[in-house]
Amino acid sequence: GKWHMGVNCKSRRDHCHHPLNHGFDYFYGMPFTLLNECQGTDDPELAKSLQDTYWFYTQMIILAVLTLLIGKLTNLFSVKWKIIICLAICGLLYFISWFSSYGFTKYWNCILMRNHDITEQPMDLEKTTSNMLKEAVSFIERNKHRPFLLFVSLLHVHTPLVTTEKFLGRSRHGLYGDNIEEMDWMVGMLLDVIDKEGLKNTTFIYFASDHGGSLEAHRGNAQLGGWNGIYKGGKGMGGWEGGIRVPGIVRWPGVLPAGTVINELTSLMDIFPTVVHLAGGAVPQDRVIDGRTLLPLLQGTVQHSGHEFMFHYCGVFLHAVRWHQKDSGTIWKAHYATPVFQPEASGACFGRGICPCFGDGVTHHDPPLLFDLSQDPSESNPLSADTEPLSDTVTRRIGKAVEEHRKTLTPVPQQLSPHNNIWKPWLQPCCGTFPFCWCDEENNKA
């Protein structure tokens, strides 16, 4: 399914970010993310967020090149031709990035891969559902006689909400509902295969979402990004519950009792140590592992999640911290920064299309906004010393946890820097002779 970690670092075939370079033995899916451009029917999505950036850097570099050129030709100052040429090339690349964001995204970034080979460029979204399902079923059948890990990252419930004709109009909740119906059917098909192959009682299955509903995803008056119930905010908002609080559903007949509801908060980062635990391994000891194995909680040998504190980031910026106070059972949440909603009372960033993580798009809180999630899960009533006698004590304790947490972090280069965002033709995955990147191996094989 959707990998969304990219492919290459230094050359078109180094595959440094590819799943096969990160512990997986087999891959079938998208190395990037699903965008409106992939379907070609909605407003551009990638273009909207990057076009202005690309155009700004193009203008700045052109201005710098012209200034250096004039200075060089009039002998105002000395500068090497090599510097002017390098800057000019950078400017050209930013210009191409800006220009290509108006139409080439579909052909260059909406691709399907099997292992290291591109099988469709651009991918045919109408066939993707059946292709993904066939691959997953085939994987189970090939590996049914030995232990296996199958990670299926569906393209569903993500704009542009690709839905096959069979499921269009099935739901009373519009296209998003149709998309959920089809995803539910796909999960059911996979569970049926597990049962049919006699793997039901020996297979641990975990189903979850990576974030809450995207409130800004609209087409006219139609909401395309789900609904977060009583919880405030949505996808990409740092710390608000609506963006990070999602259900997890576990199935393991014969080992985990059916019908059990666990209200403890866990993290998707818990999947890694849980899988390691199930495989009889040990997590690395040379670094801090943020996840905790879920097995003791699921089997009832412990009553509480292994997470006392959870740190909620927006990009590289810490926006909120959750504290599960073990002795009282109270769950506190402190917000150090929150997005500025547009319009103000809308509960989302409709004006920008996506909430920023820093700058004038966020409000910083000192002291932090404090909520008691045990009593106020919708984060409607911030606490103060007047309304909560423990507020200062709680804020100080959370602040100490943040200090301890930050000591465990190692700074890394900014992944979304202008240099990393610029389009690099020599890294572009291409199944033909660049720039003629078109192929359909799926159909040829069929």
Side-chain angles (χ1 to χ4, degrees):
K2 185 175 76 166
W3 175 242
H4 201 167
M5 294 293 186
V7 184
N8 302 316
C9 287
K10 294 182 178 174
S11 73
R12 191 168 293 146
R13 296 203 167 273
D14 67 22
H15 298 123
C16 70
H17 297 306
H18 192 281
L20 300 196
N21 261 22
H22 291 273
F24 289 93
D25 301 309
Y26 183 82
F27 172 63
Y28 181 83
M30 286 190 82
F32 306 125
T33 191
L34 190 61
L35 299 160
N36 285 343
E37 284 91 331
C38 295
Q39 195 171 35
T41 54
D42 291 333
D43 292 334
E45 189 176 357
L46 184 68
K48 200 184 296 180
S49 57
L50 289 181
Q51 274 166 4
D52 290 346
T53 306
Y54 286 146
W55 185 237
F56 173 76
Y57 282 108
T58 301
Q59 290 175 306
M60 290 298 100
I61 292 170
I62 288 171
L63 192 62
V65 168
L66 289 174
T67 304
L68 292 175
L69 203 56
I70 292 166
K72 174 87 172 172
L73 296 175
T74 58
N75 293 318
L76 280 174
F77 46 81
S78 175
V79 61
K80 291 181 180 177
W81 280 109
K82 192 188 288 185
I83 293 172
I84 296 175
I85 291 166
C86 284
L87 264 177
I89 291 169
C90 275
L92 181 65
L93 287 175
Y94 270 111
F95 175 77
I96 293 171
S97 299
W98 170 77
F99 182 75
S100 68
S101 68
Y102 282 93
F104 293 130
T105 300
K106 176 173 181 174
Y107 292 94
W108 285 340
N109 289 345
C110 301
I111 64 177
L112 206 53
M113 295 182 83
R114 180 181 283 103
N115 293 327
H116 289 146
D117 300 321
I118 298 171
T119 61
E120 275 188 358
Q121 189 171 16
M123 64 195 290
D124 181 352
L125 289 180
E126 295 299 313
K127 299 186 301 182
T128 305
T129 298
S130 59
N131 286 342
M132 295 275 183
L133 201 50
K134 280 177 196 166
E135 287 286 334
V137 169
S138 171
F139 180 86
I140 294 169
E141 289 172 345
R142 289 198 310 271
N143 292 281
K144 62 186 176 185
H145 296 302
R146 58 181 185 150
F148 65 82
L149 168 69
L150 171 62
F151 172 41
V152 183
S153 182
L154 298 169
L155 303 185
H156 284 61
V157 294
H158 186 294
T159 51
L161 292 176
V162 180
T163 310
T164 57
E165 197 174 337
K166 178 182 171 185
F167 286 90
L168 281 174
R170 184 175 286 205
S171 167
R172 290 178 298 151
H173 300 284
L175 190 56
Y176 187 85
D178 295 342
N179 213 244
I180 288 177
E181 294 268 359
E182 183 160 43
M183 179 183 69
D184 180 54
W185 171 79
M186 290 175 75
V187 172
M189 294 291 283
L190 291 175
L191 294 180
D192 287 347
V193 174
I194 293 285
D195 294 353
K196 186 185 80 156
E197 298 295 348
L199 303 171
K200 186 175 181 177
N201 294 334
T202 54
T203 306
F204 176 87
I205 296 168
Y206 184 63
F207 176 85
S209 174
D210 55 342
H211 51 69
S214 175
L215 302 181
E216 292 88 359
H218 274 80
R219 186 194 293 154
N221 293 325
Q223 163 71 349
L224 301 179
W227 178 64
N228 298 318
I230 65 167
Y231 301 114
K232 192 170 187 174
K235 173 185 174 180
M237 292 191 195
W240 290 123
E241 290 290 277
I244 57 179
R245 190 177 182 128
V246 296
I249 303 171
V250 178
R251 188 184 93 146
W252 195 0
V255 179
L256 303 177
T260 306
V261 176
I262 297 172
N263 287 315
E264 292 291 301
L265 285 155
T266 61
S267 164
L268 285 181
M269 290 186 285
D270 296 336
I271 294 173
F272 170 64
T274 303
V275 167
V276 171
H277 184 157
L278 285 168
V283 296
Q285 299 299 308
D286 61 343
R287 70 204 74 180
V288 174
I289 299 294
D290 294 306
R292 305 282 186 272
T293 176
L294 294 170
L295 267 296
L297 189 63
L298 295 172
Q299 291 174 323
T301 57
V302 300
Q303 297 306 307
H304 296 297
S305 160
H307 297 277
E308 184 179 5
F309 293 94
M310 291 174 116
F311 303 91
H312 304 301
Y313 281 81
C314 185
V316 297
F317 302 94
L318 181 66
H319 273 212
V321 180
R322 178 191 314 268
W323 178 28
H324 189 169
Q325 196 175 0
K326 300 295 183 189
D327 52 356
S328 70
T330 306
I331 300 171
W332 307 97
K333 173 93 105 34
H335 287 264
Y336 292 96
T338 53
V340 176
F341 293 141
Q342 297 174 320
E344 194 175 336
S346 65
C349 300
F350 293 113
R352 294 176 185 261
I354 186 169
C355 290
C357 297
F358 61 95
D360 62 359
V362 302
T363 303
H364 292 276
H365 305 283
D366 186 14
L369 286 181
L370 185 66
F371 297 94
D372 176 357
L373 295 183
S374 325
Q375 305 296 323
D376 180 24
S378 59
E379 298 174 285
S380 306
N381 306 301
L383 302 173
S384 65
D386 298 331
T387 57
E388 175 51 70
L390 291 173
S391 64
D392 288 344
T393 306
V394 169
T395 301
R396 278 197 302 273
R397 178 65 189 95
I398 291 175
K400 188 181 175 193
V402 170
E403 282 178 33
E404 291 165 1
H405 163 68
R406 284 190 166 137
K407 286 175 191 170
T408 70
L409 303 179
T410 305
V412 295
Q414 171 58 266
Q415 293 179 17
L416 297 178
S417 66
H419 167 72
N420 285 334
N421 254 340
I422 191 173
W423 177 61
K424 301 177 178 72
W426 56 91
L427 298 184
Q428 180 67 52
C430 181
C431 63
T433 303
F434 185 81
F436 305 106
C437 304
W438 289 276
C439 65
D440 186 1
E441 292 300 319
E442 295 290 330
N443 250 0
N444 294 346
K445 280 180 184 171

